[in-house]
Amino acid sequence: MQEEIQLLHYFQVFIRESASGKRRTVAGKKLATGTVDQYKIVAGYLQQYELQKDNTLRIKLLYGNGRRNFLKEKNYWEKFRQQFETYLRIQHSCLDVYIAAVFKVIKTFFNYLRNEKGLPVGEFHRLLRLPTRVYQPVVLDTSVVLHKLCQF
C-alpha cells in the first residue's frame, strides 16, 4: 500500500510555519507578509479547485516504488497541471504570468515538503511550468492613422 497525504492539509501547515517565522528566507529573515498572503491566495485557489472537481488533491509518498507507480504519479501531476491551468484561465481569468506565479508557489511548497519535512514526494513539481509563448508584435503605421484622422 502506497502512503499518501492530503495536499491542502500540509499546505495549511506550510502557511502557518511561514507566517509564524519558523520558515525563513535564505538570509535568515522572516518571510514578508505579502509572501504569506500569496500563499493564502494559492490555498484558496486549490480549495476552490477541489470543490469544483469534487476530488481531494493528494500527494503519494514514493518510498522506493517501481517504475509503474512513478509513471502513474507523473501522469497524475501532468493532468493536474493542465486542468488547474485551464481552471485558473477560465474561472479566474488569469493570464500566463499570474499562472506561472501560482505554480511557483506550489513548487516552493513541494520543495518545503522535500527539504524541510523530509517527505519523498518526487520531482513532479518540476512539471508545473507554462510553455513560453512568443507573441507577434503588432506594428501600427502612424502615418495611416494620422491621415485617417485628418480626413474628419
Side-chain angles (χ1 to χ4, degrees), residues 107-141:
K107 284 180 177 184
T108 302
F109 166 67
F110 271 86
N111 286 329
Y112 157 81
L113 289 177
R114 262 193 24 223
N115 300 332
E116 294 183 33
K117 293 296 181 187
L119 296 174
V121 294
E123 299 286 326
F124 305 114
H125 60 286
R126 294 179 189 248
L127 297 171
L128 300 175
R129 66 187 182 293
L130 290 177
T132 56
R133 295 190 174 119
V134 178
Y135 296 101
Q136 192 67 25
V138 177
V139 180
L140 298 175
D141 187 6

Side-chain angles (χ1 to χ4, degrees), residues 16 19 30 42 45 48 52 69 75 99 106 108 121 141 145:
R16 275 195 309 273
K30 283 182 81 171
V42 172
Y45 286 146
Q48 292 171 8
Q52 183 183 0
N69 287 334
N75 290 336
I99 294 171
I106 297 172
T108 302
V121 294
D141 187 6
V145 174

Side-chain angles (χ1 to χ4, degrees), residues 8 11-12 39-49 87:
L8 273 178
F11 205 87
Q12 294 299 334
Y39 295 166
K40 291 176 183 177
I41 290 169
V42 172
Y45 286 146
L46 291 170
Q47 277 181 322
Q48 292 171 8
Y49 176 77
Y87 167 78

Side-chain angles (χ1 to χ4, degrees), residues 14-29:
F14 169 69
I15 292 171
R16 275 195 309 273
E17 288 185 5
S18 299
S20 70
K22 188 172 180 182
R23 281 193 69 244
R24 295 189 174 259
T25 65
V26 178
K29 297 179 182 176

